[in-house]
Amino acid sequence: MMDLTKTIRNFFDREEINTGRQTAADVAKTICLFFMVQVHLTEELATRFETSQGTFLWFMESFLLPLFGASVFMFCMGIGFGYSKKTTHKQFIQRGVMIFILAYVLNFARTIPFFIDKFLFDITDWETLMIGCFEVDIMQFAGLTMICFGLMKRMKIRPAMMFLIGALSLVVANLIPKFSTGIGFLDLILGTIIPNQYMDGSSGVHSCFPLLSYLIFPTAGYFFSFVIKRAKKLNEFYLTWGLVCAAITTVFMLTCSSKEGEILSGTDEAYYHMAIISGFALVFSAILFLAVCHFLSVIFPKFLITSFGRISGEINSVYCIHWVLVCWFEAILWWCGFPREETWIYSQGALFLVGTAIFVASVGLALLYKRFKKH
């Protein structure tokens, strides 16, 4: 017992000593953002695109995205909450409401080209357009999460207890039987909170990132932020915990990669409606990714770290802009005569370059928008 106490004292200080910007989180969010654009571009063209097993895009969609995708974003979101200067419960709730509203503005904005397609060619059906305007995505989750954090702060709940609430939410989400009300709009609204089905019987497609399934990650990140604030030697801390989390992630990959319902099984439902084991395992994989990004931030040149920090600071704007660009790109391909439904195998290299161009354009437009807001 004394040895354990001594070890903890060697790692941690009683006072907060790492109170500055955490560059590891900036690097993590920027890398994830880049690959997220690639994934979304590929998914939007999924009916006309095949990824052969063993290719980079197959590896990205089958392993990188599930293990180091949305869960890392959400974990870093929690870290950001821990380091934010806007910490009152009212500020959290106000920002959460604004982001939740913005999520539906984004839904409408990225559906505009498909409304145009409806009026020009009468091909896109009205139900698809309705789903596009009201489907649940990570922005709705982010808004609801901030509202939840505001309420928990109002009740003065401590970080460790917040993590426990997030963990229990995941358990509850897995206990709730998936159902449909039979009313599409109501199914989509309920899908912001619970992993339900849509009225056509599908699940995991329109109810993406429901609050109960994913709250574990920002609450874990928030608790983690209070841990790293007190870490005496960040290099030793990340090396130790990175190795531990690498071992846990490896065991998870070897034992659960083919289990039905677990996140590596390859289904939409397994990804968006998180299983209990997957949820806890992905907390460790997020810490592993953050540890890798910490050591990358040590060796990267200063100008690159500064750039990552600027991109990370505009993550909401970049996210919104990239989705609009991806959807317009898809619609323009249709209008130029490219196939809509039948399988069309793109050059994977060309697709990656297009994704990179969309990422760069999104970052550039987000930074321009920030400068415009200042004036």
Side-chain angles (χ1 to χ4, degrees), residues 37 314 317-323 325-326 355-368:
V37 175
E314 302 304 315
S317 297
V318 174
Y319 181 85
C320 293
I321 292 168
H322 102 274
W323 256 127
L325 294 179
V326 165
T356 302
I358 289 175
F359 172 76
V360 172
S362 301
V363 170
L365 289 170
L367 294 175
L368 281 175

Side-chain angles (χ1 to χ4, degrees), residues 192-256:
T192 61
I193 300 174
I194 62 174
N196 66 333
Q197 289 182 325
Y198 185 61
M199 63 180 182
D200 60 4
S202 62
S203 60
V205 177
H206 309 308
S207 175
C208 306
F209 311 115
L211 180 68
L212 292 183
S213 295
Y214 272 82
L215 187 61
I216 186 173
F217 301 114
T219 53
Y222 188 68
F223 176 65
F224 188 75
S225 72
F226 282 79
V227 173
I228 57 178
K229 281 179 182 179
R230 292 166 173 79
K232 290 182 178 179
K233 299 176 181 178
L234 279 179
N235 286 347
E236 291 183 12
F237 172 81
Y238 275 118
L239 178 61
T240 302
W241 282 102
L243 291 173
V244 171
C245 292
I248 294 172
T249 302
T250 301
V251 170
F252 172 70
M253 290 176 63
L254 293 175
T255 57
C256 296

Side-chain angles (χ1 to χ4, degrees), residues 109-368:
R110 64 186 184 184
T111 309
I112 288 175
F114 307 114
F115 274 103
I116 295 173
D117 189 66
K118 171 68 177 177
F119 289 112
L120 289 179
F121 305 104
D122 197 26
I123 294 177
T124 305
D125 61 272
W126 287 111
E127 184 180 358
T128 300
L129 293 174
M130 187 272 287
I131 291 172
C133 288
F134 293 101
E135 70 178 342
V136 185
D137 207 345
I138 198 168
M139 287 288 283
Q140 282 90 341
F141 170 82
L144 289 175
T145 296
M146 296 195 77
I147 293 171
C148 282
F149 267 78
L151 294 174
M152 288 190 286
K153 279 181 165 289
R154 179 68 179 84
M155 293 183 283
K156 295 181 170 55
I157 296 175
R158 299 177 69 84
M161 185 58 67
M162 287 186 183
F163 174 50
L164 180 60
I165 291 172
L168 290 175
S169 297
L170 176 62
V171 175
V172 171
N174 280 268
L175 293 177
I176 297 174
K178 293 182 174 62
F179 67 94
S180 170
T181 64
I183 304 171
F185 175 76
L186 186 56
D187 285 342
L188 293 171
I189 297 301
L190 284 174
T192 61
I193 300 174
I194 62 174
N196 66 333
Q197 289 182 325
Y198 185 61
M199 63 180 182
D200 60 4
S202 62
S203 60
V205 177
H206 309 308
S207 175
C208 306
F209 311 115
L211 180 68
L212 292 183
S213 295
Y214 272 82
L215 187 61
I216 186 173
F217 301 114
T219 53
Y222 188 68
F223 176 65
F224 188 75
S225 72
F226 282 79
V227 173
I228 57 178
K229 281 179 182 179
R230 292 166 173 79
K232 290 182 178 179
K233 299 176 181 178
L234 279 179
N235 286 347
E236 291 183 12
F237 172 81
Y238 275 118
L239 178 61
T240 302
W241 282 102
L243 291 173
V244 171
C245 292
I248 294 172
T249 302
T250 301
V251 170
F252 172 70
M253 290 176 63
L254 293 175
T255 57
C256 296
S257 59
S258 59
K259 280 189 177 182
E260 184 179 354
E262 298 297 342
I263 196 163
L264 292 176
S265 61
T267 65
D268 282 344
E269 185 172 359
Y271 181 70
Y272 293 119
H273 299 172
M274 188 70 61
I276 296 174
I277 295 176
S278 293
F280 283 97
L282 261 60
V283 170
F284 291 105
S285 67
I287 297 173
L288 166 61
F289 191 77
L290 203 66
V292 172
C293 290
H294 167 76
F295 289 106
L296 288 176
S297 70
V298 172
I299 62 175
F300 280 166
K302 186 176 180 179
F303 80 90
L304 196 57
I305 297 299
T306 302
S307 299
F308 283 169
R310 294 179 67 191
I311 295 170
S312 173
E314 302 304 315
I315 193 168
N316 287 341
S317 297
V318 174
Y319 181 85
C320 293
I321 292 168
H322 102 274
W323 256 127
V324 173
L325 294 179
V326 165
C327 291
W328 273 99
F329 177 74
E330 180 183 19
I332 289 170
L333 286 179
W334 291 354
W335 301 336
C336 289
F338 287 96
R340 290 172 180 257
E341 298 299 336
E342 61 268 25
T343 300
W344 174 24
I345 304 178
Y346 290 102
S347 160
Q348 295 193 32
L351 198 64
F352 187 80
L353 289 175
V354 171
T356 302
I358 289 175
F359 172 76
V360 172
S362 301
V363 170
L365 289 170
L367 294 175
L368 281 175

